[in-house]
Amino acid sequence: MTAAEARVRVYFIPPSNPCGEGATCCGPVGMSAEDAEALRAAVAAAVPSTVVELVDASARLNFHRDAAVLRMVNTLGLAVYPVITVDGDIVSMGPPVVDELGPLVRAKLGGQDG
């Protein structure tokens, strides 16, 4: 599969506080649409021959397309976002180090790191 044929997705949720305001068990999670778009653009710039799709995971996800993401959220909670996948396989969870995303995505696309 070539990079142009691969599906790279950046899943995010809008900012929320799942335990409620003032809760001490967890903090706020999520990112603004603008921050999510900036992350999508950074991933796209790191792998310019690949289309990178932004997915608002607060909407209903498709079990067949998004199974790995749904499993991680059900196991680890909302703090896994943002999640970056290549052809349904997770390559990054949580706040990423943007400089490391290019090599990770390129490796998953075909072992090229350059």
Side-chain angles (χ1 to χ4, degrees), residues 57-78:
S58 66
R60 188 178 189 124
L61 296 178
N62 178 309
F63 179 75
H64 296 289
R65 182 190 77 178
D66 308 317
V69 175
L70 290 166
R71 278 193 301 275
M72 282 301 109
V73 171
N74 287 336
T75 302
L76 301 173
L78 296 174

Side-chain angles (χ1 to χ4, degrees), residues 35-111:
D35 289 342
E37 174 54 32
L39 177 57
R40 188 211 61 78
V43 174
V47 284
S49 61
T50 303
V51 174
V52 180
E53 180 182 354
L54 189 59
V55 179
D56 181 346
S58 66
R60 188 178 189 124
L61 296 178
N62 178 309
F63 179 75
H64 296 289
R65 182 190 77 178
D66 308 317
V69 175
L70 290 166
R71 278 193 301 275
M72 282 301 109
V73 171
N74 287 336
T75 302
L76 301 173
L78 296 174
V80 301
Y81 290 111
V83 175
I84 300 170
T85 65
V86 175
D87 293 329
D89 293 335
I90 295 172
V91 294
S92 176
M93 293 186 310
V97 176
V98 176
D99 293 342
E100 295 176 1
L101 288 176
L104 289 171
V105 173
R106 285 191 299 273
K108 189 66 180 170
L109 289 173

